[in-house]
Amino acid sequence: TCSTATWTGNRFFQAKASSGIRPIYTLAAVAKDNEGNFWVYWGTGDKTDPTGANAQEVIFAVKDTDFTSTRTGDQLQNITSEGSVYDPTAAGTYGYYINLTGQGEKMLSDVTVFGGVLYVATFTPEQSNNPCRQGGEAKLYGLGATSGAGALAIPGVTDPPRSMSIGTGISSAPVV
């Protein structure tokens, strides 16, 4: 039988202090892979300062295989470089992270996982002091949920990219 008396809890993830602890204002998404492992996805971005351009924000994808260990940033592969993908055979790794491009690019909405693809909307604030310019760039990421490979289906494109510009301003969360 299942009762709350048998429940336990512990910390799921501990960021590296050396990389700077960044705020998380959005909900995480959870999905299962083909082997039955749970994956948890989230990213960083400061909703209280959406035009700030001074921090390195990150997308995280963490595989939970035992529900008792605290995962750390050191146990994730950095697949920031275009074309890099997560290698599940690498010893001691439990997922990946992608550093956003800088210049203030951040997540301001929840992530979505659907059909094996992780969808993430980001915003990069305008760098100009011209008040007549529209504010910033919205971008959509489409990542293989367990690999981090580019997964945006674009007609006529045979090598799917990781991200694409979707307009000006702060976008909503991806909707499928």
Side-chain angles (χ1 to χ4, degrees):
T1 64
C2 178
S3 73
T4 57
T6 61
W7 291 6
T8 60
N10 61 299
R11 182 182 302 197
F12 174 68
F13 182 78
Q14 174 67 50
K16 297 186 288 187
S18 63
S19 63
I21 307 299
R22 300 300 309 145
I24 301 167
Y25 282 95
T26 59
L27 295 175
V30 178
K32 273 188 170 181
D33 64 17
N34 293 337
E35 287 79 41
N37 297 306
F38 284 98
W39 283 73
V40 182
Y41 307 94
W42 74 94
T44 63
D46 191 348
K47 282 187 177 183
T48 65
D49 187 13
T51 61
N54 59 346
Q56 177 66 67
E57 306 296 356
V58 183
I59 298 170
F60 291 99
V62 180
K63 179 170 55 172
D64 194 359
T65 57
D66 66 11
F67 304 107
T68 59
S69 300
T70 300
R71 302 296 177 216
T72 67
D74 293 329
Q75 295 174 311
L76 304 179
Q77 291 176 11
N78 179 349
I79 62 165
T80 300
S81 300
E82 190 67 36
S84 295
V85 295
Y86 171 62
D87 177 5
T89 64
T93 63
Y94 296 94
Y96 60 89
Y97 68 93
I98 297 172
N99 289 318
L100 297 176
T101 59
Q103 298 299 314
E105 183 180 11
K106 59 186 60 69
M107 286 183 47
L108 299 174
S109 60
D110 300 337
V111 298
T112 301
V113 181
F114 182 77
V117 179
L118 170 64
Y119 295 99
V120 177
T122 66
F123 172 70
T124 304
E126 177 64 46
Q127 300 300 312
S128 169
N129 291 328
N130 182 347
C132 297
R133 299 218 29 192
Q134 292 183 353
E137 176 192 20
K139 191 184 282 187
L140 176 66
Y141 284 79
L143 308 167
T146 59
S147 69
L152 286 173
I154 300 174
V157 176
T158 56
D159 189 17
R162 276 188 178 170
S163 67
M164 63 187 275
S165 178
I166 56 173
T168 302
I170 298 172
S171 70
S172 66
V175 177
V176 294

PDB file of all heavy atoms in Angstrom, residues 88-123:
ATOM      1  N   PRO A  88      25.095   9.644 -23.185  1.00  0.00           N
ATOM      2  CA  PRO A  88      24.598   8.917 -22.018  1.00  0.00           C
ATOM      3  C   PRO A  88      25.549   7.830 -21.518  1.00  0.00           C
ATOM      4  O   PRO A  88      25.375   7.325 -20.417  1.00  0.00           O
ATOM      5  CB  PRO A  88      23.280   8.314 -22.507  1.00  0.00           C
ATOM      6  CG  PRO A  88      23.429   8.233 -23.981  1.00  0.00           C
ATOM      7  CD  PRO A  88      24.313   9.373 -24.389  1.00  0.00           C
ATOM      8  N   THR A  89      26.570   7.488 -22.305  1.00  0.00           N
ATOM      9  CA  THR A  89      27.514   6.453 -21.870  1.00  0.00           C
ATOM     10  C   THR A  89      28.663   7.022 -21.042  1.00  0.00           C
ATOM     11  O   THR A  89      29.454   6.262 -20.495  1.00  0.00           O
ATOM     12  CB  THR A  89      28.094   5.701 -23.084  1.00  0.00           C
ATOM     13  OG1 THR A  89      28.856   6.614 -23.883  1.00  0.00           O
ATOM     14  CG2 THR A  89      26.987   5.069 -23.919  1.00  0.00           C
ATOM     15  N   ALA A  90      28.762   8.345 -20.958  1.00  0.00           N
ATOM     16  CA  ALA A  90      29.831   8.956 -20.161  1.00  0.00           C
ATOM     17  C   ALA A  90      29.592   8.667 -18.678  1.00  0.00           C
ATOM     18  O   ALA A  90      28.514   8.935 -18.145  1.00  0.00           O
ATOM     19  CB  ALA A  90      29.886  10.461 -20.411  1.00  0.00           C
ATOM     20  N   ALA A  91      30.585   8.128 -18.032  1.00  0.00           N
ATOM     21  CA  ALA A  91      30.460   7.730 -16.622  1.00  0.00           C
ATOM     22  C   ALA A  91      30.180   8.937 -15.725  1.00  0.00           C
ATOM     23  O   ALA A  91      30.761  10.000 -15.892  1.00  0.00           O
ATOM     24  CB  ALA A  91      31.736   7.042 -16.167  1.00  0.00           C
ATOM     25  N   GLY A  92      29.276   8.736 -14.785  1.00  0.00           N
ATOM     26  CA  GLY A  92      29.008   9.752 -13.771  1.00  0.00           C
ATOM     27  C   GLY A  92      28.227  10.959 -14.248  1.00  0.00           C
ATOM     28  O   GLY A  92      28.190  11.970 -13.560  1.00  0.00           O
ATOM     29  N   THR A  93      27.599  10.883 -15.413  1.00  0.00           N
ATOM     30  CA  THR A  93      26.808  12.018 -15.891  1.00  0.00           C
ATOM     31  C   THR A  93      25.331  11.674 -15.872  1.00  0.00           C
ATOM     32  O   THR A  93      24.933  10.527 -16.120  1.00  0.00           O
ATOM     33  CB  THR A  93      27.214  12.460 -17.311  1.00  0.00           C
ATOM     34  OG1 THR A  93      26.967  11.403 -18.227  1.00  0.00           O
ATOM     35  CG2 THR A  93      28.681  12.861 -17.351  1.00  0.00           C
ATOM     36  N   TYR A  94      24.541  12.683 -15.571  1.00  0.00           N
ATOM     37  CA  TYR A  94      23.097  12.502 -15.427  1.00  0.00           C
ATOM     38  C   TYR A  94      22.344  13.609 -16.148  1.00  0.00           C
ATOM     39  O   TYR A  94      21.426  14.205 -15.597  1.00  0.00           O
ATOM     40  CB  TYR A  94      22.715  12.484 -13.944  1.00  0.00           C
ATOM     41  CG  TYR A  94      23.322  11.316 -13.219  1.00  0.00           C
ATOM     42  CD1 TYR A  94      24.530  11.455 -12.553  1.00  0.00           C
ATOM     43  CD2 TYR A  94      22.714  10.073 -13.229  1.00  0.00           C
ATOM     44  CE1 TYR A  94      25.120  10.385 -11.904  1.00  0.00           C
ATOM     45  CE2 TYR A  94      23.289   8.992 -12.583  1.00  0.00           C
ATOM     46  CZ  TYR A  94      24.488   9.158 -11.926  1.00  0.00           C
ATOM     47  OH  TYR A  94      25.063   8.092 -11.285  1.00  0.00           O
ATOM     48  N   GLY A  95      22.740  13.908 -17.362  1.00  0.00           N
ATOM     49  CA  GLY A  95      22.047  14.923 -18.129  1.00  0.00           C
ATOM     50  C   GLY A  95      23.000  15.971 -18.664  1.00  0.00           C
ATOM     51  O   GLY A  95      24.217  15.766 -18.722  1.00  0.00           O
ATOM     52  N   TYR A  96      22.411  17.102 -19.033  1.00  0.00           N
ATOM     53  CA  TYR A  96      23.203  18.131 -19.694  1.00  0.00           C
ATOM     54  C   TYR A  96      22.717  19.517 -19.326  1.00  0.00           C
ATOM     55  O   TYR A  96      21.643  19.684 -18.738  1.00  0.00           O
ATOM     56  CB  TYR A  96      23.148  17.950 -21.217  1.00  0.00           C
ATOM     57  CG  TYR A  96      21.765  18.036 -21.818  1.00  0.00           C
ATOM     58  CD1 TYR A  96      21.233  19.262 -22.222  1.00  0.00           C
ATOM     59  CD2 TYR A  96      20.978  16.902 -22.011  1.00  0.00           C
ATOM     60  CE1 TYR A  96      19.968  19.358 -22.779  1.00  0.00           C
ATOM     61  CE2 TYR A  96      19.711  16.986 -22.569  1.00  0.00           C
ATOM     62  CZ  TYR A  96      19.214  18.209 -22.958  1.00  0.00           C
ATOM     63  OH  TYR A  96      17.971  18.295 -23.509  1.00  0.00           O
ATOM     64  N   TYR A  97      23.531  20.504 -19.695  1.00  0.00           N
ATOM     65  CA  TYR A  97      23.110  21.896 -19.587  1.00  0.00           C
ATOM     66  C   TYR A  97      23.619  22.663 -20.798  1.00  0.00           C
ATOM     67  O   TYR A  97      24.605  22.263 -21.439  1.00  0.00           O
ATOM     68  CB  TYR A  97      23.578  22.547 -18.284  1.00  0.00           C
ATOM     69  CG  TYR A  97      25.063  22.767 -18.150  1.00  0.00           C
ATOM     70  CD1 TYR A  97      25.649  23.975 -18.536  1.00  0.00           C
ATOM     71  CD2 TYR A  97      25.880  21.780 -17.617  1.00  0.00           C
ATOM     72  CE1 TYR A  97      27.011  24.179 -18.399  1.00  0.00           C
ATOM     73  CE2 TYR A  97      27.234  21.976 -17.478  1.00  0.00           C
ATOM     74  CZ  TYR A  97      27.800  23.176 -17.873  1.00  0.00           C
ATOM     75  OH  TYR A  97      29.154  23.378 -17.733  1.00  0.00           O
ATOM     76  N   ILE A  98      22.913  23.739 -21.110  1.00  0.00           N
ATOM     77  CA  ILE A  98      23.280  24.615 -22.217  1.00  0.00           C
ATOM     78  C   ILE A  98      23.305  26.031 -21.682  1.00  0.00           C
ATOM     79  O   ILE A  98      22.293  26.528 -21.171  1.00  0.00           O
ATOM     80  CB  ILE A  98      22.269  24.500 -23.380  1.00  0.00           C
ATOM     81  CG1 ILE A  98      22.275  23.083 -23.955  1.00  0.00           C
ATOM     82  CG2 ILE A  98      22.572  25.545 -24.464  1.00  0.00           C
ATOM     83  CD1 ILE A  98      21.185  22.814 -24.976  1.00  0.00           C
ATOM     84  N   ASN A  99      24.460  26.676 -21.790  1.00  0.00           N
ATOM     85  CA  ASN A  99      24.553  28.089 -21.436  1.00  0.00           C
ATOM     86  C   ASN A  99      23.905  28.898 -22.550  1.00  0.00           C
ATOM     87  O   ASN A  99      24.215  28.695 -23.726  1.00  0.00           O
ATOM     88  CB  ASN A  99      26.016  28.521 -21.284  1.00  0.00           C
ATOM     89  CG  ASN A  99      26.664  27.939 -20.055  1.00  0.00           C
ATOM     90  OD1 ASN A  99      26.064  27.889 -18.997  1.00  0.00           O
ATOM     91  ND2 ASN A  99      27.898  27.499 -20.195  1.00  0.00           N
ATOM     92  N   LEU A 100      23.004  29.791 -22.178  1.00  0.00           N
ATOM     93  CA  LEU A 100      22.408  30.660 -23.179  1.00  0.00           C
ATOM     94  C   LEU A 100      23.459  31.640 -23.682  1.00  0.00           C
ATOM     95  O   LEU A 100      24.503  31.819 -23.058  1.00  0.00           O
ATOM     96  CB  LEU A 100      21.179  31.358 -22.603  1.00  0.00           C
ATOM     97  CG  LEU A 100      20.050  30.385 -22.215  1.00  0.00           C
ATOM     98  CD1 LEU A 100      18.896  31.121 -21.568  1.00  0.00           C
ATOM     99  CD2 LEU A 100      19.573  29.592 -23.422  1.00  0.00           C
ATOM    100  N   THR A 101      23.180  32.293 -24.781  1.00  0.00           N
ATOM    101  CA  THR A 101      24.222  33.014 -25.520  1.00  0.00           C
ATOM    102  C   THR A 101      24.781  34.250 -24.841  1.00  0.00           C
ATOM    103  O   THR A 101      25.720  34.838 -25.336  1.00  0.00           O
ATOM    104  CB  THR A 101      23.703  33.430 -26.902  1.00  0.00           C
ATOM    105  OG1 THR A 101      22.550  34.261 -26.728  1.00  0.00           O
ATOM    106  CG2 THR A 101      23.369  32.224 -27.732  1.00  0.00           C
ATOM    107  N   GLY A 102      24.248  34.661 -23.737  1.00  0.00           N
ATOM    108  CA  GLY A 102      24.763  35.860 -23.075  1.00  0.00           C
ATOM    109  C   GLY A 102      24.001  37.092 -23.528  1.00  0.00           C
ATOM    110  O   GLY A 102      22.925  37.003 -24.115  1.00  0.00           O
ATOM    111  N   GLN A 103      24.555  38.277 -23.250  1.00  0.00           N
ATOM    112  CA  GLN A 103      23.888  39.536 -23.573  1.00  0.00           C
ATOM    113  C   GLN A 103      22.508  39.618 -22.933  1.00  0.00           C
ATOM    114  O   GLN A 103      21.614  40.282 -23.442  1.00  0.00           O
ATOM    115  CB  GLN A 103      23.793  39.745 -25.084  1.00  0.00           C
ATOM    116  CG  GLN A 103      25.134  39.829 -25.777  1.00  0.00           C
ATOM    117  CD  GLN A 103      25.966  40.996 -25.258  1.00  0.00           C
ATOM    118  OE1 GLN A 103      25.479  42.094 -25.111  1.00  0.00           O
ATOM    119  NE2 GLN A 103      27.218  40.738 -24.958  1.00  0.00           N
ATOM    120  N   GLY A 104      22.302  38.865 -21.850  1.00  0.00           N
ATOM    121  CA  GLY A 104      21.048  38.928 -21.122  1.00  0.00           C
ATOM    122  C   GLY A 104      20.002  37.922 -21.552  1.00  0.00           C
ATOM    123  O   GLY A 104      18.876  37.957 -21.057  1.00  0.00           O
ATOM    124  N   GLU A 105      20.335  36.993 -22.477  1.00  0.00           N
ATOM    125  CA  GLU A 105      19.340  35.994 -22.891  1.00  0.00           C
ATOM    126  C   GLU A 105      18.924  35.188 -21.672  1.00  0.00           C
ATOM    127  O   GLU A 105      19.761  34.715 -20.902  1.00  0.00           O
ATOM    128  CB  GLU A 105      19.895  35.064 -23.971  1.00  0.00           C
ATOM    129  CG  GLU A 105      18.848  34.080 -24.456  1.00  0.00           C
ATOM    130  CD  GLU A 105      19.341  33.137 -25.538  1.00  0.00           C
ATOM    131  OE1 GLU A 105      20.559  33.084 -25.804  1.00  0.00           O
ATOM    132  OE2 GLU A 105      18.491  32.437 -26.109  1.00  0.00           O
ATOM    133  N   LYS A 106      17.609  35.048 -21.481  1.00  0.00           N
ATOM    134  CA  LYS A 106      17.098  34.382 -20.292  1.00  0.00           C
ATOM    135  C   LYS A 106      15.754  33.731 -20.571  1.00  0.00           C
ATOM    136  O   LYS A 106      15.071  34.070 -21.518  1.00  0.00           O
ATOM    137  CB  LYS A 106      16.942  35.389 -19.152  1.00  0.00           C
ATOM    138  CG  LYS A 106      15.989  36.536 -19.485  1.00  0.00           C
ATOM    139  CD  LYS A 106      15.906  37.621 -18.442  1.00  0.00           C
ATOM    140  CE  LYS A 106      17.141  38.335 -18.129  1.00  0.00           C
ATOM    141  NZ  LYS A 106      17.730  39.216 -19.133  1.00  0.00           N
ATOM    142  N   MET A 107      15.385  32.800 -19.705  1.00  0.00           N
ATOM    143  CA  MET A 107      14.065  32.176 -19.751  1.00  0.00           C
ATOM    144  C   MET A 107      13.124  32.962 -18.860  1.00  0.00           C
ATOM    145  O   MET A 107      13.438  33.221 -17.703  1.00  0.00           O
ATOM    146  CB  MET A 107      14.141  30.736 -19.262  1.00  0.00           C
ATOM    147  CG  MET A 107      14.765  29.796 -20.237  1.00  0.00           C
ATOM    148  SD  MET A 107      14.749  28.104 -19.637  1.00  0.00           S
ATOM    149  CE  MET A 107      13.080  27.906 -19.069  1.00  0.00           C
ATOM    150  N   LEU A 108      11.966  33.332 -19.412  1.00  0.00           N
ATOM    151  CA  LEU A 108      10.964  34.044 -18.628  1.00  0.00           C
ATOM    152  C   LEU A 108       9.625  33.312 -18.637  1.00  0.00           C
ATOM    153  O   LEU A 108       8.639  33.816 -18.118  1.00  0.00           O
ATOM    154  CB  LEU A 108      10.792  35.470 -19.181  1.00  0.00           C
ATOM    155  CG  LEU A 108      12.046  36.342 -19.127  1.00  0.00           C
ATOM    156  CD1 LEU A 108      11.799  37.670 -19.820  1.00  0.00           C
ATOM    157  CD2 LEU A 108      12.507  36.553 -17.702  1.00  0.00           C
ATOM    158  N   SER A 109       9.586  32.115 -19.243  1.00  0.00           N
ATOM    159  CA  SER A 109       8.351  31.327 -19.284  1.00  0.00           C
ATOM    160  C   SER A 109       8.688  29.849 -19.074  1.00  0.00           C
ATOM    161  O   SER A 109       9.844  29.443 -19.169  1.00  0.00           O
ATOM    162  CB  SER A 109       7.631  31.529 -20.619  1.00  0.00           C
ATOM    163  OG  SER A 109       8.453  31.119 -21.695  1.00  0.00           O
ATOM    164  N   ASP A 110       7.656  29.067 -18.782  1.00  0.00           N
ATOM    165  CA  ASP A 110       7.832  27.647 -18.501  1.00  0.00           C
ATOM    166  C   ASP A 110       8.299  26.879 -19.733  1.00  0.00           C
ATOM    167  O   ASP A 110       8.003  27.261 -20.864  1.00  0.00           O
ATOM    168  CB  ASP A 110       6.517  27.038 -18.007  1.00  0.00           C
ATOM    169  CG  ASP A 110       6.003  27.694 -16.742  1.00  0.00           C
ATOM    170  OD1 ASP A 110       6.815  28.287 -16.009  1.00  0.00           O
ATOM    171  OD2 ASP A 110       4.788  27.620 -16.495  1.00  0.00           O
ATOM    172  N   VAL A 111       9.013  25.778 -19.509  1.00  0.00           N
ATOM    173  CA  VAL A 111       9.432  24.892 -20.591  1.00  0.00           C
ATOM    174  C   VAL A 111       8.286  23.922 -20.901  1.00  0.00           C
ATOM    175  O   VAL A 111       7.395  23.710 -20.070  1.00  0.00           O
ATOM    176  CB  VAL A 111      10.709  24.107 -20.221  1.00  0.00           C
ATOM    177  CG1 VAL A 111      11.865  25.053 -19.984  1.00  0.00           C
ATOM    178  CG2 VAL A 111      10.488  23.206 -19.026  1.00  0.00           C
ATOM    179  N   THR A 112       8.341  23.309 -22.078  1.00  0.00           N
ATOM    180  CA  THR A 112       7.349  22.324 -22.502  1.00  0.00           C
ATOM    181  C   THR A 112       8.076  21.130 -23.096  1.00  0.00           C
ATOM    182  O   THR A 112       9.029  21.312 -23.856  1.00  0.00           O
ATOM    183  CB  THR A 112       6.398  22.919 -23.565  1.00  0.00           C
ATOM    184  OG1 THR A 112       5.744  24.063 -23.016  1.00  0.00           O
ATOM    185  CG2 THR A 112       5.356  21.919 -24.012  1.00  0.00           C
ATOM    186  N   VAL A 113       7.639  19.918 -22.764  1.00  0.00           N
ATOM    187  CA  VAL A 113       8.178  18.709 -23.374  1.00  0.00           C
ATOM    188  C   VAL A 113       7.030  18.003 -24.064  1.00  0.00           C
ATOM    189  O   VAL A 113       5.982  17.740 -23.451  1.00  0.00           O
ATOM    190  CB  VAL A 113       8.815  17.768 -22.326  1.00  0.00           C
ATOM    191  CG1 VAL A 113       9.381  16.530 -22.999  1.00  0.00           C
ATOM    192  CG2 VAL A 113       9.887  18.477 -21.536  1.00  0.00           C
ATOM    193  N   PHE A 114       7.232  17.685 -25.351  1.00  0.00           N
ATOM    194  CA  PHE A 114       6.192  17.002 -26.116  1.00  0.00           C
ATOM    195  C   PHE A 114       6.846  16.202 -27.231  1.00  0.00           C
ATOM    196  O   PHE A 114       7.684  16.724 -27.964  1.00  0.00           O
ATOM    197  CB  PHE A 114       5.193  18.004 -26.707  1.00  0.00           C
ATOM    198  CG  PHE A 114       4.072  17.355 -27.458  1.00  0.00           C
ATOM    199  CD1 PHE A 114       3.022  16.763 -26.773  1.00  0.00           C
ATOM    200  CD2 PHE A 114       4.079  17.308 -28.827  1.00  0.00           C
ATOM    201  CE1 PHE A 114       1.989  16.145 -27.447  1.00  0.00           C
ATOM    202  CE2 PHE A 114       3.043  16.692 -29.519  1.00  0.00           C
ATOM    203  CZ  PHE A 114       1.992  16.112 -28.832  1.00  0.00           C
ATOM    204  N   GLY A 115       6.471  14.938 -27.349  1.00  0.00           N
ATOM    205  CA  GLY A 115       6.970  14.105 -28.441  1.00  0.00           C
ATOM    206  C   GLY A 115       8.479  13.970 -28.459  1.00  0.00           C
ATOM    207  O   GLY A 115       9.074  13.908 -29.534  1.00  0.00           O
ATOM    208  N   GLY A 116       9.111  13.956 -27.288  1.00  0.00           N
ATOM    209  CA  GLY A 116      10.554  13.804 -27.219  1.00  0.00           C
ATOM    210  C   GLY A 116      11.339  15.072 -27.503  1.00  0.00           C
ATOM    211  O   GLY A 116      12.552  15.037 -27.660  1.00  0.00           O
ATOM    212  N   VAL A 117      10.641  16.219 -27.568  1.00  0.00           N
ATOM    213  CA  VAL A 117      11.303  17.496 -27.826  1.00  0.00           C
ATOM    214  C   VAL A 117      11.067  18.432 -26.648  1.00  0.00           C
ATOM    215  O   VAL A 117       9.943  18.567 -26.167  1.00  0.00           O
ATOM    216  CB  VAL A 117      10.789  18.146 -29.131  1.00  0.00           C
ATOM    217  CG1 VAL A 117      11.455  19.488 -29.376  1.00  0.00           C
ATOM    218  CG2 VAL A 117      11.022  17.211 -30.315  1.00  0.00           C
ATOM    219  N   LEU A 118      12.149  19.066 -26.199  1.00  0.00           N
ATOM    220  CA  LEU A 118      12.084  20.082 -25.155  1.00  0.00           C
ATOM    221  C   LEU A 118      11.989  21.440 -25.846  1.00  0.00           C
ATOM    222  O   LEU A 118      12.860  21.801 -26.630  1.00  0.00           O
ATOM    223  CB  LEU A 118      13.344  20.026 -24.285  1.00  0.00           C
ATOM    224  CG  LEU A 118      13.547  21.163 -23.283  1.00  0.00           C
ATOM    225  CD1 LEU A 118      12.446  21.173 -22.235  1.00  0.00           C
ATOM    226  CD2 LEU A 118      14.920  21.055 -22.631  1.00  0.00           C
ATOM    227  N   TYR A 119      10.913  22.182 -25.557  1.00  0.00           N
ATOM    228  CA  TYR A 119      10.714  23.511 -26.127  1.00  0.00           C
ATOM    229  C   TYR A 119      10.955  24.555 -25.044  1.00  0.00           C
ATOM    230  O   TYR A 119      10.392  24.472 -23.956  1.00  0.00           O
ATOM    231  CB  TYR A 119       9.288  23.663 -26.669  1.00  0.00           C
ATOM    232  CG  TYR A 119       9.002  22.744 -27.825  1.00  0.00           C
ATOM    233  CD1 TYR A 119       8.327  21.542 -27.641  1.00  0.00           C
ATOM    234  CD2 TYR A 119       9.414  23.078 -29.114  1.00  0.00           C
ATOM    235  CE1 TYR A 119       8.058  20.698 -28.702  1.00  0.00           C
ATOM    236  CE2 TYR A 119       9.145  22.240 -30.185  1.00  0.00           C
ATOM    237  CZ  TYR A 119       8.475  21.049 -29.971  1.00  0.00           C
ATOM    238  OH  TYR A 119       8.221  20.221 -31.024  1.00  0.00           O
ATOM    239  N   VAL A 120      11.798  25.535 -25.375  1.00  0.00           N
ATOM    240  CA  VAL A 120      12.164  26.588 -24.438  1.00  0.00           C
ATOM    241  C   VAL A 120      12.090  27.921 -25.172  1.00  0.00           C
ATOM    242  O   VAL A 120      12.685  28.070 -26.239  1.00  0.00           O
ATOM    243  CB  VAL A 120      13.604  26.381 -23.913  1.00  0.00           C
ATOM    244  CG1 VAL A 120      14.015  27.511 -22.988  1.00  0.00           C
ATOM    245  CG2 VAL A 120      13.752  25.031 -23.229  1.00  0.00           C
ATOM    246  N   ALA A 121      11.370  28.879 -24.599  1.00  0.00           N
ATOM    247  CA  ALA A 121      11.343  30.234 -25.156  1.00  0.00           C
ATOM    248  C   ALA A 121      12.270  31.109 -24.321  1.00  0.00           C
ATOM    249  O   ALA A 121      12.280  31.028 -23.100  1.00  0.00           O
ATOM    250  CB  ALA A 121       9.931  30.794 -25.125  1.00  0.00           C
ATOM    251  N   THR A 122      13.074  31.937 -25.002  1.00  0.00           N
ATOM    252  CA  THR A 122      13.978  32.840 -24.300  1.00  0.00           C
ATOM    253  C   THR A 122      13.777  34.268 -24.794  1.00  0.00           C
ATOM    254  O   THR A 122      13.148  34.502 -25.832  1.00  0.00           O
ATOM    255  CB  THR A 122      15.462  32.449 -24.495  1.00  0.00           C
ATOM    256  OG1 THR A 122      15.813  32.626 -25.866  1.00  0.00           O
ATOM    257  CG2 THR A 122      15.724  31.032 -24.035  1.00  0.00           C
ATOM    258  N   PHE A 123      14.347  35.195 -24.056  1.00  0.00           N
ATOM    259  CA  PHE A 123      14.285  36.611 -24.405  1.00  0.00           C
ATOM    260  C   PHE A 123      15.653  37.232 -24.206  1.00  0.00           C
ATOM    261  O   PHE A 123      16.291  37.014 -23.178  1.00  0.00           O
ATOM    262  CB  PHE A 123      13.256  37.327 -23.518  1.00  0.00           C
ATOM    263  CG  PHE A 123      13.262  38.822 -23.672  1.00  0.00           C
ATOM    264  CD1 PHE A 123      12.809  39.418 -24.839  1.00  0.00           C
ATOM    265  CD2 PHE A 123      13.728  39.633 -22.661  1.00  0.00           C
ATOM    266  CE1 PHE A 123      12.816  40.799 -24.992  1.00  0.00           C
ATOM    267  CE2 PHE A 123      13.737  41.012 -22.788  1.00  0.00           C
ATOM    268  CZ  PHE A 123      13.284  41.596 -23.958  1.00  0.00           C
TER     269      PHE A 123
END
